[in-house]
Amino acid sequence: MNVKYKCSQCGETHDPQTFIHKCPCGGLLDITPFDVDFPLEKIKQRTPSLWRYEEALPFSKSQQVTLGEGFTSMVSTDDSNNVFFKMDYMMPTLSFKDRGASMLITAAKALHVKRIVADSSGNAGTAIAAYASKAGIKCDIFVPASTSPNKLTQIKAHGAQLHLIPGTREDTAEAAVKEVEESGSFYASHVYNPFFYQGTKTYAYEIWEEMNGNVPDVIVVPVGNGTLLLGAYYGFKDLYDKGLIPSIPKFVAIQAEGCAPLLKAFQAGSEHIEPIETVGTQAEGIAIADPARHYQILQVIKETGGEIIAAPENTIESARKALAHQGFFVEPTSAATYAGYLAYIAQEGSNVENQTMVIPLCGAGIKAVK
């Protein structure tokens, strides 16, 4: 392993073998910079998975824990040839979280971890359970008791020990952290562990490759804890720093109207959020009242000249039906992303008519069928 943890607050570095999930100062962990490269001719000859970008990843091919994730299709929408859906639900566990899970469990295996603990609203837990099973690592997944039944079935099918926690998503995270601290297990958190973002950054690499070396004007992305937004930003920044793209796209973050702490901070011009009480949303995947990496998320929005848009709750189901009529059967969180996109273009009007945009469809509809 050629990288270490680095505190985003004090700058102190730490060996991943310590299993810490935060710096002793309380700061969140990133990873130390390392050289990346994009030998495109070699990349094009490789298996169509996220591991085709091995020169830009922190692990070698021999270390990887993979189920063939990544390199999902981009399909133009019915209403525009400039707007594309990236079908990130076409993954082994039917959500984009497989990108990060593959990298995170690869890290756990490299560290000779025997047992992991993770918390999730559903999709990340499913992905981590699947990849842990592939790697032969014992796995405990903590989820809110209200999690969609089909997601619970998926998690259990992969052999994970499932813990249903009453209350909020934040209550679930607290229960998982308590278990980690009491047991000394590896905290395979898709929020706190920086290796997860080394997987989600491949979302940007794929867009760049699929657009023949170009990037869109706008990246639309759902945001709860920000695992896709931050990963995509890191990916585009890698490409920009190597001189392969002229600029980083504008990020338009979508939050659910019923749980939008980042939007509230953005509108107030604040770099920090005030945790809110969730009033209820269909988009369980982004119902995060107190996102740990809120400062970094808001920095990306600011740096790229982006925006944060609320998906109206009363449009999420109609957005889901509209996607289904185009052939895409998605869960409500992905529908909220589309609803937010529609609200954004209605707000911007003719200003976005000729802009190229990419919208992720992050989770399959079968996960949320009642």
Side-chain angles (χ1 to χ4, degrees), residues 28-30 191-192 194 197 225 230 291-297:
L28 301 179
L29 301 174
D30 297 319
V191 180
Y192 286 98
Y197 302 86
N225 276 310
L230 291 173
R293 293 187 182 269
H294 63 268
Y295 176 77
Q296 293 172 317
I297 295 167

Side-chain angles (χ1 to χ4, degrees), residues 19-166:
F19 287 13
I20 64 170
H21 70 276
K22 286 201 297 187
C23 181
C25 79
L28 301 179
L29 301 174
D30 297 319
I31 64 171
T32 51
F34 63 98
D35 288 335
V36 300
D37 195 17
F38 300 92
L40 193 54
E41 291 309 310
K42 290 183 180 179
I43 289 170
K44 288 180 176 179
Q45 296 173 24
R46 293 173 181 158
T47 301
S49 79
L50 64 82
W51 289 94
R52 68 201 276 114
Y53 307 107
E54 60 186 68
E55 290 86 357
L57 302 176
F59 301 101
S60 66
K61 184 176 181 180
S62 63
Q63 295 174 294
Q64 64 186 247
V65 179
T66 180
L67 293 169
E69 61 290 325
F71 213 70
T72 56
S73 298
M74 284 173 51
V75 182
S76 60
T77 64
D78 281 355
D79 59 349
S80 174
N81 289 324
N82 293 328
V83 180
F84 299 88
F85 294 126
K86 186 156 173 59
M87 298 170 64
D88 252 32
Y89 65 87
M90 299 299 289
M91 296 273 195
T93 75
L94 307 180
S95 91
F96 87 93
K97 294 287 176 53
D98 289 359
R99 293 185 184 275
S102 177
M103 203 64 57
L104 179 50
I105 299 303
T106 294
K109 183 180 178 183
L111 292 169
H112 307 291
V113 169
K114 303 301 182 186
R115 177 178 180 250
I116 64 172
V117 172
D119 56 274
S120 168
S121 60
N123 284 340
T126 300
I128 289 168
Y131 286 82
S133 180
K134 171 77 171 179
I137 299 173
K138 292 182 179 179
C139 179
D140 284 66
I141 302 293
F142 289 68
V143 297
S146 59
T147 299
S148 298
N150 284 8
K151 293 180 182 179
L152 302 182
T153 299
Q154 274 190 291
I155 293 169
K156 288 187 288 188
H158 294 304
Q161 182 68 41
L162 188 62
H163 303 263
L164 302 181
I165 307 301

